[in-house]
Structure formats: structure tokens, C-alpha cells
Amino acid sequence: MPAPTKTLRRSLLVTSAALTSLALTAPAALAAPSPTPGPSVSPSATPPAAMSTVGGARLGMPGTQVELGTDVPVVPKDITARSWIVADAESGEVLAAHNAHWRLAPASTLKMLFADTVLPKFPATMTHKVTTADLAGVGAGSSMVGIKENETYTVRDLWLGVFLRSGNDAVHVLSSMNQGVANSVREMNEHAEELQALDTHVVTPDGYDAEGQVSSAYDLTLFARSGLQKKEFREYCATPRAAFPGETKKDKKGKPYRSSFEIQNTNRLLSGTDSDIPVYQGIAGVKNGNTTNAGATFTGVAERNGHVLLVTVMHPEKNEHNEVYKETAKLLDWGFTAVGKVRPVGELVAPTNAQPSAQPGANASPGQAGGETGGAAGTGQAAASAPTAGGSSGMGIALGIAGGVLVLLAGGVFLVNRRWPLPDLVRRRR
């Protein structure tokens, strides 16, 4: 669509979200007009004075935003990331944030949006024979899982390549299956708008550096939270290592055979493959990235003592090995200490096309508490467990209408209430 029309649409989305929040939940901050499409990455290490206020006015302020309560330690002083956020994955409350809406290069964390958009379209057992055209346009120096032309892979193989090895080759094959890269990019931008991730502008589906490609810590957290409602998404991002099909060869008798090789998850908090980064207690994904423009980026989800937290860290200034994981671990530690004791400074908002059900409190028909494949805005199905007690202040996706109601999204049934179906895989990692 033309740029002015898209800008107007984004502004209307923000306004609609703010009015919905005011009408149906505890007090929420109004959203600022969204930036124009296709922005450039900020050329300096200084955040802009005015940023989006989707999710709360304080989230649009530069610097650290936190409301400490009794017996809550201060936010770790040695966090050097340009932008970060700590949020309750189930209630949507933002416990603390730093330049949450600063639009920065996202690197491969953008693959979370790609997966949330494309994953429901193809069954895991579906097979695809890779052609030369499938791998066209993969950027020089890209991270690769090792896909070979004229070899056949299952969709599950391809997604493991995306999540574990951050394989741009796997992304391009899946994009080709999804009517091409251009179509996948278009659908990703549309889905970002549905999720109210208005800081995001997608140019490449794999997060490879491109002019005008940006996202924010806030938006990446929305992508992770939406994706984690999908059972397969949770399984893939929680997998430390897997066998990946190799190239077909012939033995001495000329008989073809195909062996496999092991791939390990590049999420160091999950795989524990580096000596200076142990496996984080309760970690269950989500996605890391690193490019020239973005520096190191990471979104992680972890569960401890019944709480599920999401942390996103973008571009630590401290140039040390695995610094993005070290800072994420520190923020998770702080978050588990602070959850339930700090006053939220914002919320993770609901998708714009979420509509209240005509039957509040109705039981979920599709899926169980663990969730079914699909469930993000526009596709699939998901189920959430019963809502917890308490107010709705600071809740985004958890609208808390009538104690938790069914809502309908285009293309599927979607439950919006206080608890999302996250903990099954997370508790398995404990």
C-alpha cells in the first residue's frame, strides 16, 4: 500500500489499541503516533527523545524505567545494552525497561516474527526438495545450517535449522515455499501490525542487515510472546541439539545413503556450549542474533517458581565474549526477584484484531493448556489455562475481561486471559 496510507493505518491501529485498553482494563498509557515506514537505523548510540508509547507512556521515555518496591534490589548497574526489557510472559506486565521502543537493527531475532508468521502454514512432516532458486539471495557471510540443492528435507528439519543454527538458507527455502521472499516480507510486516509491533519494518525475512530494517526490544518481546503460544514454536526454540540430514552419497557398491550431523542451538543460555555461560535454570528459548549493524541481540524466556519471564537485550556496548547472554541472565535474575513486588511500568499489548467473544468465560474447545500448533494472530489455534486472580493493571494481551474471555482472531480461535500456555516445556528444562 502507499506509504501515506500505511502510516495512517498504523496511527489508527495505535489509537484503537489505546482506546481499547482504556475501556476494558485498568489505566493504560496512550500510544504516540507511529513513525513513518522504512526508517533508517539510528546512527548514534543516543536514543531519540521521543519514541512510541505503545504499551505505556513510560516505555516511550529514554533511559531506565522501573518502580522498585520493598525488598527489591536495584536493576543491575552493569547492563550496557542500548535497549532492553523485562516482562512477565503470562500477565504481560513490563517490570522494567530501558529505551524499550528504540528502533534498532534486529539481526536474527527477527526470525521469531518469520516463524510466528509462516510456521502454521506447513505441517512438520511435509517434505520439500530444494532447488537452486530456493537458495537465491542468501546474503554473503550468512549463518547457514548446510542445506544442499536437490536434497529433500522435512519442514521440521527446516525449522530446526532456523531455530538452532539460525540458518538463513533454511529461511530462504521456507520463504520460497511461502510464495517467495517478497511475499514473506509482506506478510511479516502485516503480522507485525496485527501484533501492534509498530517499531518494526521488515526488509529481509532472516534479519540480515538491510537499509531501513528495524525493530525494538518491545516488538521482539511481542514476537516471542505470540510465537510461544504455538506448540511447535516452543519445541523448536527449546531444543538444545538435533540431528540434521546431510548430503546423499554413495557407498563402495554404488548404493546411495544419507547420514546426518548434529546441530547445536546457538542460544548459549540453552545449550551451554561455552565454558563461560552455563545453562540458565529454567531457560526455554527463544532466539539470538548478531550482525554488523545490530551487534548482539537476544530474546529469552525462562520459568522459575511459577513465574515465566521474557527478557530482550539489544546491542550491549560492552565488547566481551557472550556479553548479550550475561546481561540477559542478570536481568532474568533480577526479574525473578522483582516479579510481584514492583509496580509495572507498562504492558505487552494485545493484537489489534482480537475481538471479545460473545460468550465470556466459555471453555476452550480447541487444544489444552499446553497449546496447539498455531494460535498467533491470523492463523492456527491456541488454548490458555484458567485466569489467575488479581487485577488487570499492566496487562496487555491479558485483557482480563470478565475474568478471562474467549476472543476471536481472523483465521482461528485465540484465548486472551492472564495465563498463556508456556510452562509445559519450560518446566521440562528445569
Side-chain angles (χ1 to χ4, degrees), residues 249-293:
K249 298 180 181 180
K250 292 184 178 180
D251 60 19
K252 295 179 180 180
K253 296 182 179 180
K255 185 177 180 179
Y257 71 95
R258 192 179 186 189
S259 59
S260 62
F261 57 92
E262 184 180 87
I263 57 175
Q264 295 181 335
N265 201 312
T266 52
N267 172 0
R268 302 294 191 266
L269 293 182
L270 180 73
S271 62
T273 53
D274 282 5
S275 59
D276 60 334
I277 296 293
V279 173
Y280 189 85
Q281 179 188 356
I283 193 71
V286 170
K287 191 71 188 73
N288 60 312
N290 198 320
T291 65
T292 301
N293 289 347

Side-chain angles (χ1 to χ4, degrees), residues 18 42 45 59 70 101 116 136 228 278 307 351 375 401 408 420:
S42 176
L59 298 182
T70 306
H101 281 291
D116 195 36
L228 285 166
H307 295 287
I401 307 170
L408 300 179
W420 279 36

Side-chain angles (χ1 to χ4, degrees), residues 203-228:
V203 179
T204 65
D206 49 23
Y208 191 84
D209 283 340
E211 179 65 25
Q213 181 155 274
V214 290
S215 191
S216 66
Y218 184 87
D219 284 10
L220 294 176
T221 307
L222 291 181
F223 302 152
R225 193 175 188 227
S226 179
L228 285 166

Side-chain angles (χ1 to χ4, degrees), residues 46-51 60-62:
T46 304
M51 294 177 280
M61 298 179 182

Side-chain angles (χ1 to χ4, degrees), residues 8 64 144 162 171 210 227 247 291 419:
L8 176 61
T64 301
M144 310 279 270
V162 171
V171 171
E247 191 173 5
T291 65
R419 297 190 68 83

